[in-house]
Amino acid sequence: MTANYQTSNNAHSRKTSNHSRKSSEANPGALGLDVIYTPEDDYKVDIVFIHGLGGASRRTWSKYEDPELFWPMKFLPLESDVCQTRILTFGYNANFRTSGNVSTSVLDFAKDLLFDLKYAKDDHNKNLNIGDAYMQGQNDPNYEAIIKAISAITFLATPHRGTNLAELLDRILRSTFATNSKFYVSELAKNSFTLQKLNEQFRHIAPRLAIVSFYETQPTSIGLKNARVMILEKESSVLGYPGETSKALNADHHNVCKYDSPKDPNYITVRNALGSIVGKIISTKSSNKQSQPRRKDSYDLKNMLVITEIPDVDYIFFRDQWIRGTCDWVLEEDRYLEWLHAQNQSSTLLWLNGGAGTGKSVQSSFIINSVVEQGLSCQYFFIRFGDRRKRGLSLLLRSIAYQVARDVPEFLEQVLQLADEAIDFAIADPRTIWERIFKSVLFNLTVDRTLYWIIDGLDEADNPRALIKLLSDISFSSIPIRVLLLGRKTNEIHDVFQKLTPALHPSMVSIEGHVEDMRCYVRQELSIPGSSGFKESNVERVVREAQSNFLVSDEKWVRLAVESLNQCHTKSDIELALQKLPVGMEAIYDRMASIIAQKPSATDRALASTLLQCITVSLRTLTVAELAQALQEDTPTILDLQRSITDLCGGFVVIDNGGNIAMVHQTAREYLLNSNSRPFRVNRGDAHKQMFRNCMRCLMAVGLRAKVKDYKQPEFLEYASRSWSSHLALTPLDCARTLETLSKFLSGQWILLWIQVLATNQQLGVLVEASKHLSNYSAKRKQFGAEQGEQDHYVLKLELVDRWSEDLVKVVGKFGMVLRGNPEPIYKLIPPFCPQSSAIYQQFGKTKDKSLAVSGLSSRNWDDSIARMSFGLGTYASSISAAGSQIAILVSSGKVILYNSSAFEEANASPIKHGERVYRMELSSNGQLLATYGYLTTKIWEISTGQCKMSVANVESRPQPLAMLLTRNNTMLLVGTDDRRVRSLDFSGDPPNWQLVAELEEPELEGHYLNSANHMALNNDGRLIAVAYRGHPLSAWETDGPVHIGHCWRTRDQVARGEVIEAVWHPHSLEILGLYIEGVVFKWRPYDDETEEIATGATRLAISRDGSLFATGDARGMVKVYTTAEFGLLYRLASEDTILSLTFSPDLRRFYDVRGNYGNAWEPNALIRFAEQRSPGAKSESETESLPQSSTASESWTGRVDAITAIAGSPAGRHYCCGTEQGVVQLHDTKRGKLTEVHASKSFFSIEQLSWSKDGRCLCFSDSSKKVMVMSLRLGAGDLDPVVERKAELSMKNNTKGPILQLLLHPVSTQLLVRSSSTILTVSTVDLSLTRSLELYTAQHQWIIHPQDPALIIGIGPNNIRILDWDLVERQVHKFEYSQTPLSVESISDPGHTVDRVHVTTDGTGNTWYSNYHLE
């Protein structure tokens, strides 16, 4: 076994080994890593030779144990290509003939090799059973550099799936006195758990490597006279991965790695493989430096597209079932060859179809392997009905995109840029994925290659029609794409296929009727005794029986026939077996079920039932290791689970060489679950109950949290954490134990551990799905209890279920970003921030040992508001837009305020100041560019810096913009204006200038008045535009031409036009969503002239990015969210103030609105659940059996938020006061929360300034009417309420000019300083008289009491300091000189710069003052 890998050239080198040249018998080879050859010049590649069981580092590679035939050192250095490499051997103590540590495992050898590779000096380095060592390194960050250096692996007769002889060897060792059984020997048993787990892990890593597998073809002598056996069959020596090179060697197991001379044909074969690998590594070494960032990009794309499993698992599953000599008929099929080798550069589509059980998926794996072996760019996907994640279009498209990106670097680079658009691809509509990734990016690339897409299981997709419709767009691709579909021939698929455009050259090929495949299969699998002629005659009989019963393509019937004949011992038995073979699929399943039902052992029947319960209702394919862990408490005495499954499940289940368990066919699952009068069946409810308990046992296992923390998650944990709630939803309602188990889980720390597991695995969307299942289960359980007349025994438990149902959704919405970055806060930091009535707070947020206390939360219950954005009094917003991570709000002053959508903090570049009145703004889809259209100019801004990238004068006629669109990868701006023209601004122009794209000459209609347009809407690519008028019906146009499409007429009256005030194009279909002035929403398909209407009472309209939802807002503050397809009301929100604009977030989970001088961010449960239910696997059987959903939409009411306008903390304690927009002043305690209401304005004048006295006993505040009040506070001890008395109240309206900017109390509270922009004055709080007034421009200053002399006050400004006494007599003035500052003195002196606050610190020599400048 050889390993080829590339490392850095920093090791010591020597030309040859210093080891003595003794015979291999005396010197079998050193242990550890040994350098046996280093070239004179610097080496570029390392080759490490690792021997197998019972071997040694030299003897294994030496023919006849002759040191002169040690070919890695004697032959390879003479080869022109391999001589540039450094050659090493690795030896380890794997001699099973000697005594030693019986617990040593293959993993231990791997660790030794890795250690040597990293830490050994010249003679040592590191790596073992190479697949095992490679996987061990993958899981250990200490060896990351070593693992990344491995480029290729060559296997020489390596038992990837074990050997039956390992069990025999183990028995021999156990029976001798000299030696003991070795653990590593048992690990090499046929399909052992160790090998299955290793293969399962390695298949995810293998695509990074070049893999060559050699296999033996001769039996090996075992020392018993002339006895010879095949140690390893090809099946175990070949991995079967796409792109793997497998070659036969004419040798037995001993001599597969030993050669007579450099002319030995076997040596030449191995040498050529090594030379080819070395050549590729050396030739690409320079490009590998560039591939490192690409490898990281590939990893980033995998995360962005949420690819959790590559399709190699399914490929290998079906490839393992392939029989040599079958499936190759397709290589001579004319239509297949035309598809594969089409001379033109057009895209084509081929459909291979056949009946159920005809081997279509095995045929798919054969074609994939054939295409990959030809070096073509092949991407593939297996749609699996048994795995709900793989039935939807979303995962299929994302998987194909990821595979294309691995082959096409240009595509990878451009798709990664979509990350800035903040699209959640896990829940994105398939049409969004298709439009943004394929049509917008892939189809526009100019790459000189052809892509081959192979999609199996077309008929098992949730929506085959939609898939074919999407794929028909490949005719527009600049890259030729050849699509091969395989699936059953159904009327639906056939009808769609017949309607495909001729440009795709669609064709169909039937997979049925290939008798030679059946004959080949029977010939290889039939193992009855007798002569070859007798065996061949029975092969032909099976084939004839299949043909006569029209079962020539039914692989299950043929398999059953072969198995029946193989169990026969006489000719009469064979005759009888052939006569008893069933006819038809149903009869086959009856026969298989009877075998289970007639098992003589009750224990066997019970175990078969348990196994089939888990396998039939599992939501995805389970592995043997996962199922073993799930059933370890129910079946702890099973010796070999894989054998038990094979023996007891009667052919309903198949297990591939990787240990993956699956139903033999989807029809077998349906037979077991849906048949009531069969010999054997699986009760669906009991099966889900069993799986729910298995999941709960895994999630509540002792010590699980420590394992998760150490990244040692049990195999079954991933399935249990994702699927327990789906099984719960289908458990029988009369099972009290289920509710007891659920209640226990929700009441303990286990639920937090479950959330941690999901966050660690980046699967928080499961919480939303679980919330839905908990809610449905609770509702059904309550209904069942009412019907059964149950007492209130379960009321408290179901209330707990309901509370957690709500909590799970809110935890995702409010804390999802935190948990994805670090799951640990779920235990102590997140619960205290949750509302006090929530289950998570009640159970984990108020415990005595909590490390965090939170007070002052505004609500005891969850609400849908997650943020409020205040723009300041007198600032009003006109529109809002969201893209990428940005929220942009256009306000009346001509500025655009930017917020980050995660923390809702105002961006560093905010506000964007256009410098004049702005009519309209437009964000790019990735949120990186902003276009603003003003009265005189149009400007393009870079949001990250706030810099204006371009400013272009508007056309002289000054038309107003009605629609804007950034297009052509954000290099062009399209603008539709009220003069019925569409213009473009190309950013690459030198200089950029406006170009007329279309002039819409609207045809005049009799009886209608045509005036200026009042609204326009451009579609996503700018090729379509809708135009609305006040006295004319809505009109649709193609901008290229332009070409008029038609007018939109009201449904209630053919001649009624209606005034359209809002309109948007659907992102993925040729339809317009609009809003009439009276509040009616309409959907119009201009090409079909079909219209639908719904009354909403709205004044504003917005559509989601994928077009699945739209929202309306009205003058009463009501927001309604509808599904676009059905006009179904999904959510309703009642709040205060007129809605001026609204928009959806890119991920569909939120919507934003603006209402005057503030905006809101809303995240209702209804949107989160709607988004998550579109993710792969969200739809399950539970949806078909849940309670009928209410037609009433989810509702929420949010009262007016009294915004805080002023806040000040007491200098002498833990108290603080805040003033609000409606004139309320409240006193709060940082630990106890709100204490009392100090003041409430009857006229609702907002509080503008707040100030405390130095001792904290007085509080003064002013409102917008310039009324000033002074309050005395006596704070009670302990929990006693404070006593508040009004000490003074006076009006400053006649004494100050402009608003009051600051209040400052004298240290003994006898005087009060009041500052406006041009006046400062002092007032006596004793007799309320005006003490002194001074006209002094100090709008830029902040005033404080002198730290050393309370009789003085200090005013600190941007360029000077003024010191006055309380009689306002100026004592000193100090001016600043700035020697080194980014701001000039003139700039700081500008009235636009003001001092926001002053910090005073004291050291041993005096006082130092620090000023913070607030730059307006």
Side-chain angles (χ1 to χ4, degrees):
M1 179 168 55
T2 64
N4 308 290
Y5 74 109
Q6 183 180 358
T7 63
S8 58
N9 302 329
N10 59 357
H12 301 292
S13 64
R14 56 192 173 94
K15 186 170 184 179
T16 60
S17 171
N18 291 328
H19 291 282
S20 61
R21 306 295 192 261
K22 296 180 180 180
S23 70
S24 295
E25 183 177 3
N27 179 22
L31 297 179
L33 206 64
D34 182 28
V35 179
I36 61 172
Y37 169 76
T38 302
E40 292 286 355
D41 299 328
D42 194 17
Y43 60 91
K44 300 180 179 180
V45 179
D46 280 338
I47 302 179
V48 183
F49 287 79
I50 302 104
H51 62 81
L53 182 63
S57 61
R58 289 193 174 224
R59 186 178 64 236
T60 292
W61 316 102
S62 303
K63 187 86 169 186
Y64 312 124
E65 300 185 2
D66 183 350
E68 294 303 316
L69 298 181
F70 179 38
W71 62 274
M73 186 173 75
K74 296 295 183 177
F75 299 175
L76 285 182
L78 303 178
E79 307 294 345
S80 58
D81 42 12
V82 184
C83 67
Q84 303 177 68
T85 68
R86 183 175 63 171
I87 303 175
L88 310 92
T89 62
F90 177 76
Y92 57 99
N93 185 12
N95 188 352
F96 51 78
R97 299 183 182 88
T98 61
S99 59
N101 189 347
V102 297
S103 63
T104 302
S105 69
V106 172
L107 181 60
D108 296 319
F109 298 144
K111 291 179 178 178
D112 290 342
L113 174 55
L114 286 170
F115 184 86
D116 279 357
L117 282 171
K118 182 171 185 179
Y119 296 108
K121 299 299 182 183
D122 186 25
D123 281 357
H124 298 292
N125 226 336
K126 94 176 184 192
N127 232 14
L128 162 63
N129 182 316
I130 205 81
D132 205 345
Y134 186 69
M135 286 312 306
Q136 175 64 19
Q138 288 286 336
N139 299 323
D140 192 334
N142 292 324
Y143 304 119
E144 182 178 2
I146 297 292
I147 295 306
K148 286 184 177 179
I150 297 177
S151 301
I153 300 180
T154 302
F155 295 105
L156 282 165
T158 304
H160 300 299
R161 300 176 179 90
T163 172
N164 292 323
L165 293 179
E167 186 176 352
L168 174 61
L169 175 59
D170 196 44
R171 291 199 196 106
I172 294 173
L173 293 176
R174 291 176 186 273
S175 65
T176 62
F177 295 101
T179 60
N180 297 315
S181 171
K182 301 296 193 296
F183 180 65
Y184 55 78
V185 173
S186 64
E187 287 184 311
L188 298 181
K190 186 79 169 180
N191 291 323
S192 72
F193 279 158
T194 299
L195 292 177
Q196 287 177 6
K197 183 177 180 180
L198 177 60
N199 287 332
E200 176 65 24
Q201 294 173 329
F202 188 61
R203 71 180 58 193
H204 297 287
I205 310 301
R208 309 175 191 170
L209 305 170
I211 298 176
V212 181
S213 298
F214 295 100
Y215 56 94
E216 62 204 64
T217 56
Q218 300 296 326
T220 302
S221 173
I222 58 174
L224 300 174
K225 295 185 179 180
N226 295 323
R228 302 178 71 84
V229 296
M230 286 296 295
I231 302 295
L232 284 181
E233 300 289 346
K234 178 187 176 183
E235 173 193 64
S236 185
S237 299
V238 176
L239 289 162
Y241 296 162
E244 174 191 14
T245 301
S246 60
K247 293 183 179 295
L249 294 178
N250 186 23
D252 60 19
H253 192 69
H254 289 319
N255 294 306
V256 77
C257 54
K258 301 178 179 70
Y259 314 117
D260 291 317
S261 72
K263 296 183 179 180
D264 188 319
N266 288 331
Y267 168 75
I268 293 173
T269 301
V270 174
R271 178 206 65 190
N272 289 343
L274 291 176
S276 174
I277 291 173
V278 170
K280 290 179 180 178
I281 293 175
I282 293 176
S283 64
T284 59
K285 189 171 182 181
S286 58
S287 63
N288 278 349
K289 295 179 180 179
Q290 300 174 356
S291 70
Q292 293 300 323
R294 187 180 304 162
R295 192 171 296 139
K296 181 182 181 302
D297 289 345
S298 178
Y299 178 79
D300 292 341
L301 180 64
K302 190 174 183 180
N303 289 334
M304 186 183 93
L305 296 180
V306 200
I307 303 296
T308 58
E309 179 183 302
I310 55 179
D312 292 10
V313 176
D314 293 317
Y315 164 81
I316 295 169
F317 180 86
F318 293 111
R319 186 63 177 163
D320 285 343
Q321 301 176 39
W322 174 71
I323 300 295
R324 180 171 293 278
T326 63
C327 300
D328 51 8
W329 61 267
V330 75
L331 302 181
E332 299 178 1
E333 168 62 47
D334 291 340
R335 280 163 292 186
Y336 171 77
L337 294 176
E338 290 174 5
W339 171 84
L340 185 66
H341 301 300
Q343 296 300 316
N344 55 32
Q345 294 298 307
S346 61
S347 298
T348 59
L349 196 151
L350 175 64
W351 177 28
L352 268 62
N353 54 66
T358 54
K360 296 182 294 296
S361 297
V362 176
Q363 186 75 55
S364 297
S365 69
F366 176 84
I367 294 173
I368 293 167
N369 188 71
S370 174
V371 173
V372 171
E373 283 187 341
Q374 296 179 58
L376 303 175
S377 180
C378 178
Q379 296 80 41
Y380 55 92
F381 190 85
F382 289 82
I383 302 172
R384 304 288 298 272
F385 187 85
D387 190 335
R388 59 182 187 172
R389 294 176 301 169
K390 298 177 182 178
R391 299 201 303 252
L393 300 186
S394 173
L395 180 59
L396 185 155
L397 296 177
R398 288 184 282 121
S399 179
I400 294 291
Y402 175 67
Q403 294 175 69
V404 173
R406 292 196 304 185
D407 276 4
V408 185
E410 299 88 344
F411 179 63
L412 170 63
E413 181 181 350
Q414 292 196 31
V415 172
L416 277 175
Q417 296 176 9
L418 298 180
D420 295 326
E421 298 187 14
I423 300 174
D424 188 343
F425 285 101
I427 64 170
D429 186 276
R431 292 176 299 176
T432 298
I433 299 173
W434 184 251
E435 291 284 343
R436 295 300 300 128
I437 293 180
F438 292 93
K439 294 183 70 174
S440 299
V441 180
L442 181 64
F443 289 7
N444 294 319
L445 291 179
T446 53
V447 179
D448 186 20
R449 71 173 65 192
T450 300
L451 303 179
Y452 294 84
W453 296 353
I454 300 172
I455 301 172
D456 178 72
L458 174 63
D459 56 293
E460 299 184 38
D462 285 336
N463 192 342
R465 180 187 297 271
L467 174 58
I468 297 173
K469 187 175 180 181
L470 286 181
L471 292 175
S472 66
D473 290 337
I474 63 173
S475 60
F476 302 109
S477 174
S478 59
I479 300 179
I481 301 174
R482 312 283 164 77
V483 178
L484 177 64
L485 301 172
L486 294 97
R488 280 189 289 180
K489 188 174 182 179
T490 66
N491 291 333
E492 177 191 17
I493 297 176
H494 186 267
D495 292 343
V496 177
F497 209 81
Q498 291 293 331
K499 298 176 183 178
L500 290 174
T501 172
L504 284 173
H505 309 288
S507 57
M508 294 181 285
V509 176
S510 174
I511 200 175
E512 300 181 7
H514 298 283
V515 180
E516 196 54 42
D517 275 8
M518 178 190 299
R519 183 176 287 111
C520 183
Y521 172 81
V522 177
R523 189 175 286 132
Q524 291 195 37
E525 296 299 310
L526 191 62
S527 59
I528 58 176
S531 65
S532 58
F534 176 73
K535 178 179 178 180
E536 186 64 25
S537 66
N538 281 283
V539 168
E540 293 301 323
R541 284 198 65 183
V542 171
V543 173
R544 285 197 303 271
E545 288 289 335
Q547 288 178 297
S548 63
N549 291 303
F550 303 100
L551 295 169
V552 69
S553 297
D554 194 331
E555 60 179 355
K556 285 181 287 301
W557 187 92
V558 177
R559 184 183 295 115
L560 179 61
V562 172
E563 290 175 355
S564 299
L565 294 182
N566 285 341
Q567 296 173 10
C568 296
H569 301 280
T570 67
K571 292 183 178 180
S572 58
D573 290 341
I574 291 176
E575 191 68 32
L576 184 62
L578 287 171
Q579 293 175 5
K580 289 185 175 181
L581 285 173
V583 178
M585 187 82 71
E586 197 80 6
I588 294 174
Y589 289 148
D590 283 342
R591 172 79 172 270
M592 294 160 60
S594 297
I595 295 174
I596 299 175
Q598 293 170 9
K599 295 279 184 187
S601 169
T603 303
D604 285 352
R605 292 195 300 272
L607 180 55
S609 178
T610 300
L611 292 171
L612 285 171
Q613 280 183 338
C614 296
I615 297 169
T616 52
V617 301
S618 63
L619 303 180
R620 64 162 173 80
T621 300
L622 296 173
T623 65
V624 174
E626 287 176 324
L627 186 57
Q629 193 173 86
L631 297 176
Q632 62 184 356
E633 290 191 20
D634 295 329
T635 55
T637 59
I638 290 183
L639 300 176
D640 186 339
L641 181 61
Q642 181 161 329
R643 177 182 174 185
S644 298
I645 295 172
T646 304
D647 293 346
L648 298 178
C649 292
F652 284 105
V653 175
V654 292
I655 304 175
D656 71 359
N657 289 323
N660 297 292
I661 310 168
M663 300 299 295
V664 68
H665 195 267
Q666 176 58 23
T667 54
R669 186 193 311 271
E670 295 168 358
Y671 172 89
L672 290 173
L673 291 174
N674 299 327
S675 56
N676 294 319
S677 58
R678 303 299 184 189
F680 177 84
R681 66 182 294 268
V682 173
N683 182 283
R684 190 187 299 266
D686 290 344
H688 283 289
K689 179 171 62 176
Q690 174 68 37
M691 284 300 287
F692 171 72
R693 291 176 183 172
N694 293 340
C695 294
M696 287 291 100
R697 278 200 298 259
C698 178
L699 292 169
M700 293 192 285
V702 176
L704 179 60
R705 184 176 178 184
K707 293 179 181 178
V708 172
K709 186 176 181 180
D710 294 338
Y711 301 99
K712 297 179 180 178
Q713 296 189 10
E715 284 84 354
F716 189 59
L717 181 60
E718 193 273 340
Y719 181 91
S721 61
R722 284 186 64 102
S723 306
W724 69 264
S725 68
S726 297
H727 291 298
L728 170 70
L730 288 169
T731 56
L733 297 174
D734 59 355
C735 180
R737 182 180 174 188
T738 297
L739 183 55
E740 293 289 343
T741 303
L742 177 62
S743 178
K744 180 180 178 182
F745 173 71
L746 297 178
S747 301
Q749 287 273 340
W750 300 294
I751 189 167
L752 299 186
L753 176 57
W754 169 57
I755 296 173
Q756 180 192 5
V757 170
L758 293 175
T760 301
N761 296 336
Q762 300 296 305
Q763 297 173 346
L764 285 178
V766 175
L767 294 180
V768 180
E769 184 182 350
S771 167
K772 178 188 67 176
H773 289 148
L774 287 176
S775 178
N776 286 348
Y777 174 79
S778 176
K780 290 191 292 183
R781 189 64 182 79
K782 290 174 183 176
Q783 181 177 319
F784 174 80
E787 293 173 353
Q788 299 297 316
E790 288 183 348
Q791 302 297 323
D792 296 336
H793 180 64
Y794 299 113
V795 170
L796 293 179
K797 290 181 173 60
L798 292 175
E799 286 180 358
L800 178 65
V801 173
D802 288 335
R803 281 192 289 152
W804 271 110
S805 172
E806 183 176 14
D807 287 3
L808 294 180
V809 181
K810 292 302 184 182
V811 165
V812 175
K814 295 185 181 294
F815 307 107
M817 185 170 294
V818 175
L819 289 171
R820 290 183 184 97
N822 179 16
E824 281 293 329
I826 190 60
Y827 291 101
K828 292 185 178 180
L829 299 183
I830 288 178
F833 280 98
C834 298
Q836 295 179 6
S837 65
S838 64
I840 188 172
Y841 178 87
Q842 290 294 322
Q843 293 174 216
F844 310 109
K846 61 176 186 178
T847 54
K848 294 181 180 179
D849 59 344
K850 64 185 177 183
S851 57
L852 178 68
V854 179
S855 62
L857 294 177
S858 59
S859 175
R860 288 184 52 84
N861 302 302
W862 294 107
D863 58 38
D864 294 338
S865 174
I866 59 172
R868 179 184 172 103
M869 299 162 282
S870 181
F871 317 135
L873 296 175
T875 301
Y876 293 91
S878 59
S879 67
I880 185 169
S881 181
S885 61
Q886 302 294 331
I887 303 171
I889 298 160
L890 178 62
V891 296
S892 54
S893 58
K895 296 186 295 186
V896 178
I897 303 175
L898 301 172
Y899 289 89
N900 181 279
S901 61
S902 58
F904 294 98
E905 296 176 336
E906 192 168 345
N908 293 332
S910 179
I912 299 291
K913 300 178 181 179
H914 187 99
E916 62 187 14
R917 181 182 178 185
V918 175
Y919 292 113
R920 199 173 189 90
M921 68 172 180
E922 178 73 10
L923 270 175
S924 64
S925 58
N926 57 14
Q928 295 181 353
L929 291 181
L930 172 71
T932 54
Y933 191 107
Y935 177 69
L936 296 175
T937 59
T938 295
K939 297 182 179 180
I940 308 298
W941 307 84
E942 187 177 71
I943 288 181
S944 59
T945 62
Q947 297 297 314
C948 180
K949 297 184 61 176
M950 182 185 306
S951 179
V952 179
N954 294 336
V955 294
E956 294 182 2
S957 58
R958 303 284 186 267
Q960 291 193 19
L962 301 179
M964 291 171 61
L965 176 70
L966 284 163
T967 185
R968 294 190 183 178
N969 201 24
N970 299 327
T971 61
M972 177 179 287
L973 177 67
L974 287 180
V975 180
T977 52
D978 61 357
D979 59 357
R980 302 202 299 271
R981 288 178 173 85
V982 180
R983 296 176 177 87
S984 66
L985 181 63
D986 190 340
F987 303 163
S988 60
D990 189 18
N993 53 67
W994 294 101
Q995 299 292 330
L996 184 64
V997 174
E999 186 169 359
L1000 310 177
E1001 295 292 342
E1002 187 71 46
E1004 293 193 20
L1005 300 174
E1006 185 177 351
H1008 300 279
Y1009 176 69
L1010 185 63
N1011 54 14
S1012 297
N1014 70 318
H1015 187 83
M1016 285 183 171
L1018 287 160
N1019 77 329
N1020 277 354
D1021 57 13
R1023 296 178 182 177
L1024 300 173
I1025 189 169
V1027 188
Y1029 309 88
R1030 290 183 177 84
H1032 201 270
L1034 182 72
S1035 187
W1037 294 78
E1038 294 178 359
T1039 55
D1040 187 10
V1043 177
H1044 186 256
I1045 303 172
H1047 293 105
C1048 179
W1049 300 96
R1050 298 297 300 270
T1051 57
R1052 57 182 170 82
D1053 189 338
Q1054 188 64 28
V1055 297
R1057 56 181 181 269
E1059 183 176 337
V1060 176
I1061 57 174
E1062 294 264 14
V1064 289
W1065 284 91
H1066 192 287
H1068 305 309
S1069 61
L1070 300 176
E1071 64 184 25
I1072 300 170
L1073 202 68
L1075 176 64
Y1076 289 116
I1077 193 170
E1078 67 268 32
V1080 173
V1081 173
F1082 66 90
K1083 183 165 54 179
W1084 176 43
R1085 302 173 186 85
Y1087 285 98
D1088 302 326
D1089 199 20
E1090 297 177 359
T1091 308
E1092 298 177 49
E1093 294 185 358
I1094 180 175
T1096 64
T1099 57
R1100 291 293 179 265
L1101 175 71
I1103 193 169
S1104 64
R1105 183 165 189 164
D1106 64 356
S1108 60
L1109 299 175
F1110 70 90
T1112 65
D1114 62 29
R1116 298 167 297 170
M1118 176 79 74
V1119 176
K1120 298 177 183 177
V1121 179
Y1122 296 84
T1123 58
T1124 308
E1126 302 87 9
F1127 274 177
L1129 183 60
L1130 181 70
Y1131 174 75
R1132 178 165 41 214
L1133 167 73
S1135 188
E1136 302 287 343
D1137 296 328
T1138 299
I1139 297 168
L1140 303 178
S1141 180
L1142 71 166
T1143 188
F1144 284 92
S1145 65
D1147 64 4
L1148 201 66
R1149 300 170 186 267
R1150 300 172 178 172
F1151 64 85
Y1152 311 109
D1153 64 39
V1154 288
R1155 307 174 184 236
N1157 63 354
Y1158 68 95
N1160 297 298
W1162 308 95
E1163 191 171 60
N1165 292 359
L1167 283 193
I1168 298 175
R1169 285 175 173 157
F1170 180 84
E1172 287 297 336
Q1173 76 181 12
R1174 289 134 45 87
S1175 63
K1179 295 180 180 179
S1180 67
E1181 297 172 88
S1182 61
E1183 293 181 354
T1184 65
E1185 299 189 8
S1186 61
L1187 282 177
Q1189 297 299 311
S1190 172
S1191 60
T1192 304
S1194 172
E1195 295 193 21
S1196 177
W1197 182 88
T1198 302
R1200 179 188 293 273
V1201 177
D1202 192 9
I1204 294 176
T1205 53
I1207 189 168
S1210 171
R1214 62 177 192 243
H1215 300 94
Y1216 65 93
C1217 271
C1218 63
T1220 71
E1221 191 176 26
Q1222 296 188 19
V1224 177
V1225 179
Q1226 296 175 341
L1227 177 65
H1228 293 259
D1229 185 292
T1230 55
K1231 292 186 177 180
R1232 295 171 55 195
K1234 178 183 174 181
L1235 297 180
T1236 187
E1237 189 175 272
V1238 176
H1239 169 76
S1241 172
K1242 296 180 180 180
S1243 302
F1244 303 105
F1245 290 116
S1246 63
I1247 305 300
E1248 296 188 341
Q1249 301 296 331
L1250 274 170
S1251 181
W1252 289 80
S1253 63
K1254 190 174 182 179
D1255 58 8
R1257 295 182 179 180
C1258 281
L1259 171 73
C1260 63
F1261 52 88
S1262 64
D1263 61 23
S1264 55
S1265 68
K1266 298 188 181 182
K1267 183 181 292 183
V1268 177
M1269 298 185 188
V1270 180
M1271 301 286 190
S1272 68
L1273 304 175
R1274 290 202 304 261
L1275 303 175
D1279 294 334
L1280 295 178
D1281 292 335
V1283 177
V1284 181
E1285 295 181 357
R1286 182 170 299 177
K1287 187 174 181 181
E1289 177 179 339
L1290 63 160
S1291 176
M1292 295 284 104
K1293 184 179 297 185
N1294 298 324
N1295 303 103
T1296 59
K1297 296 180 180 179
I1300 295 175
L1301 301 179
Q1302 186 183 358
L1303 299 174
L1304 184 66
L1305 276 167
H1306 191 276
V1308 295
S1309 304
T1310 57
Q1311 286 183 288
L1312 172 67
L1313 181 140
V1314 180
R1315 175 177 68 90
S1316 68
S1317 59
S1318 59
T1319 308
I1320 57 173
L1321 49 87
T1322 54
V1323 179
S1324 170
T1325 59
V1326 179
D1327 56 12
L1328 304 183
S1329 61
L1330 181 62
T1331 306
R1332 183 71 187 272
S1333 177
L1334 178 65
E1335 293 289 332
L1336 183 66
Y1337 182 79
T1338 59
Q1340 300 168 291
H1341 290 58
Q1342 278 288 326
W1343 293 84
I1344 63 172
I1345 299 173
H1346 197 293
Q1348 296 177 338
D1349 187 355
L1352 301 176
I1353 55 177
I1354 303 175
I1356 303 177
N1359 59 353
N1360 61 47
I1361 292 178
R1362 296 178 180 272
I1363 302 179
L1364 286 72
D1365 59 21
W1366 282 93
D1367 291 328
L1368 303 185
V1369 176
E1370 190 168 82
R1371 299 294 185 89
Q1372 296 181 32
V1373 176
H1374 299 276
K1375 293 187 177 180
F1376 299 152
E1377 293 184 3
Y1378 297 91
S1379 57
Q1380 294 180 349
T1381 176
L1383 296 174
S1384 64
V1385 175
E1386 291 79 6
S1387 173
I1388 294 178
S1389 301
D1390 188 279
H1393 300 289
T1394 62
V1395 175
D1396 180 62
R1397 58 180 57 88
V1398 177
H1399 301 282
V1400 180
T1401 60
T1402 304
D1403 56 23
T1405 60
N1407 296 317
T1408 303
W1409 296 309
Y1410 299 89
S1411 299
N1412 288 349
Y1413 293 97
H1414 177 64
L1415 306 180
E1416 292 290 348

